[in-house]
Amino acid sequence: MSHVADTARPAHSNASNASTAANAAASSPASLPWITRLVSMDTVSRNPNLGLIETVRDELRNLGIEATLTHDESGKWANLFATIPAHDGETNGGIVLSGHTDVVPVDGQKWDSDPFKPEVRGDQLFGRGTCDMKGFIGAALTLVPQMQRTKLAKPIHLALSFDEEVGCVGAPLLLADLLKRGIKPDGCIVGEPTSMRPIIAHKGINAYQCCVRGHAAHSSLTPKGLNAIEYAARLICYIREMADQFREQGPFDELYDVPFTTAQTSTIEGGNAINTVPAECRFQFEFRNLPTLDPDPIFARIEHYAHETLLPKMLREHASAAIEFSKIAAAPGLDSSEQAAITQLVRALTADQDKRKVAYGTEAGLFSLAGIPSIVCGPGNIEQAHKANEFVSLDQLVACERFLGKFIHSMSLDAHAQ
């Protein structure tokens, strides 16, 4: 009996190990090689992304797919747009799979591993951009051969952009190029992290810098100067009062986690000594508007208060007074129609009919504004984005691959014949 028991235990252990290995294999994303390769490239927004874009371009070329690049003025940053044609060679129409290649900085964050050396720990992949949003890009690139093997009724497009994290700078160049070339996709799926749940709307983002110019003087001669910080403070308080009005009076949309338009001042600098009247003060502010609310009148209110209320008072103190605004970034909100084909498609593929709206912005609003109906759906949880030890769960990557597999089938002749 003892001998039987001793020999039975290893057999049971081997079976258990085999089962564990099988489960691990089943949950191991096929896209890991592509994702780790992408994450290993440091594409923090201040760094050029051209190396990553050219790597993708060359790999697509090896598959017989030619990509179009649109560069910024320096030539160091670029977008990529590539098309897997329909079975008959058609390249117009179809659906775009869209993602941004830049990531946020890691400066000042305490990571347990090198953020640009992706590492699997347990059932999670750690590294900057794993969640936001190189996981989706890697999954899409992994499935390109499957797209090519499928007899597509309509084309599938890949769109990779630069500098999304600093205000959606790159995507407008890509969209302008599509318009110039007469390419009009039927819809777009932006793969930002949503835990693979459809997001039908998000707020707009509007960021500005304001420079208040006064006049320097020794602090003992305060009336001879013009204190730029004090007048900047009045303008900042006005922006806060507007934010309070939105909070109290709306308009409201309860499907958002923050159901009203928000505004805030984020940075400020000015002055150079305790005994000097400051001649200049700069600050940056932003507001995030519900997509049903036009952002232009919001900024117009701020500008009107600055130029019609504050500036006349400043000019009475000194003739050199000025208040100057410059736009840092702007990205429109998204408000997808439930009747749009892209919305119905993603809802069908995810079997998810819940309505969800988010406060963060994406490039989906830009695609929508360009006349390309869009929706947001991708792997990972937004709560993990931008943080130290950013990660995406392997299960989310597997779910994304399954979703994309279903998507590819939905674009096939077989699916369209049904």
Side-chain angles (χ1 to χ4, degrees):
M1 290 293 295
S2 174
H3 177 70
V4 172
D6 287 344
T7 56
R9 268 196 296 270
H12 175 75
S13 176
N14 289 339
S16 176
N17 289 341
S19 175
T20 300
N23 290 337
S27 63
S28 180
S31 55
L32 268 182
W34 250 124
I35 298 170
T36 55
R37 190 177 182 184
L38 296 171
V39 173
S40 297
M41 301 180 191
D42 181 352
T43 53
V44 168
S45 297
R46 61 174 174 256
N47 300 330
N49 77 329
L50 196 57
L52 183 153
I53 289 294
E54 290 180 341
T55 295
V56 174
R57 177 201 63 191
D58 293 345
E59 291 292 348
L60 291 175
R61 182 174 290 163
N62 290 337
L63 295 172
I65 301 169
E66 287 298 326
T68 298
L69 306 191
T70 50
H71 297 79
D72 76 324
E73 291 182 357
S74 74
K76 297 179 180 179
W77 283 262
N79 305 300
L80 177 148
F81 189 84
T83 299
I84 296 87
H87 74 103
D88 58 0
E90 179 61 58
T91 58
N92 221 331
I95 304 296
V96 180
L97 301 177
S98 173
H100 63 81
T101 60
D102 62 317
V103 297
V104 297
V106 298
D107 305 25
Q109 295 182 340
K110 294 183 179 180
W111 285 69
D112 295 332
S113 57
D114 188 327
F116 299 106
K117 291 183 179 178
E119 181 178 302
V120 175
R121 298 200 296 272
D123 61 353
Q124 297 167 338
L125 175 65
F126 290 82
R128 174 57 86 223
T130 51
C131 174
D132 186 13
M133 58 176 294
K134 292 179 177 179
F136 177 80
I137 295 173
L141 291 172
T142 299
L143 290 178
V144 167
Q146 183 176 335
M147 299 175 195
Q148 291 180 296
R149 291 192 301 268
T150 302
K151 284 190 174 182
L152 298 175
K154 292 187 176 182
I156 297 174
H157 311 279
L158 302 175
L160 306 183
S161 67
F162 69 89
D163 280 5
E164 186 271 353
E165 296 290 4
V166 293
C168 297
V169 173
L173 299 178
L174 183 150
L175 290 166
D177 182 67
L178 295 186
L179 178 63
K180 181 180 178 181
R181 293 194 287 143
I183 298 175
K184 183 66 180 296
D186 298 323
C188 176
I189 301 171
V190 176
E192 291 276 6
T194 69
S195 299
M196 293 309 303
R197 298 178 297 187
I199 298 296
I200 61 171
H202 64 66
K203 293 181 179 180
I205 303 173
N206 309 269
Y208 292 86
Q209 178 167 282
C210 179
C211 180
V212 178
R213 302 189 188 279
H215 185 74
H218 192 283
S219 60
S220 65
L221 303 172
T222 296
K224 294 184 180 297
L226 173 59
N227 194 309
I229 290 178
E230 292 176 353
Y231 278 99
R234 296 185 188 187
L235 183 51
I236 291 170
C237 288
Y238 181 79
I239 293 170
R240 174 55 194 255
E241 289 172 2
M242 288 181 61
D244 291 342
Q245 289 176 5
F246 286 128
R247 177 191 290 267
E248 296 166 4
Q249 302 172 18
F252 301 100
D253 186 334
E254 298 301 332
L255 288 178
Y256 286 91
D257 47 358
V258 179
F260 47 84
T261 296
T262 59
Q264 62 118 14
T265 300
S266 51
T267 68
I268 185 170
E269 58 180 351
N272 57 8
I274 186 66
N275 60 352
T276 302
V277 175
E280 188 173 291
C281 182
R282 295 176 180 270
F283 65 92
Q284 294 179 334
F285 66 95
E286 65 154 27
F287 57 90
R288 295 179 179 245
N289 60 293
L290 296 176
T292 53
L293 202 61
D294 186 349
D296 290 342
I298 298 175
F299 175 68
R301 284 178 59 188
I302 297 170
E303 191 175 40
H304 184 270
Y305 176 78
H307 291 159
E308 302 300 324
T309 300
L310 292 184
L311 189 57
K313 294 179 180 178
M314 295 171 64
L315 289 170
R316 285 195 290 270
E317 294 185 37
H318 202 280
S320 64
I323 302 177
E324 301 165 355
F325 293 95
S326 57
K327 182 180 289 187
I328 299 173
L334 173 72
D335 194 12
S336 300
S337 166
E338 285 292 340
Q339 285 69 48
I342 191 66
T343 305
Q344 295 182 16
L345 173 62
V346 173
R347 288 207 180 285
L349 296 177
T350 58
D352 190 328
Q353 300 299 319
D354 290 343
K355 292 184 178 180
R356 299 184 183 87
K357 302 180 179 183
V358 294
Y360 60 84
T362 79
E363 292 172 333
L366 289 167
F367 279 91
S368 180
L369 188 64
I372 305 170
S374 303
I375 194 166
V376 187
C377 186
N381 190 317
I382 194 64
E383 292 183 3
Q384 307 305 328
H386 298 195
K387 295 181 179 180
N389 297 319
E390 178 183 345
F391 71 86
V392 64
S393 73
L394 301 185
D395 286 347
Q396 277 288 295
L397 296 177
V398 171
C400 180
E401 293 171 5
R402 289 173 180 162
F403 167 81
L404 291 175
K406 293 178 182 178
F407 163 72
I408 294 167
H409 175 72
S410 75
M411 298 290 286
S412 69
L413 277 177
D414 290 342
H416 280 249
Q418 293 175 358

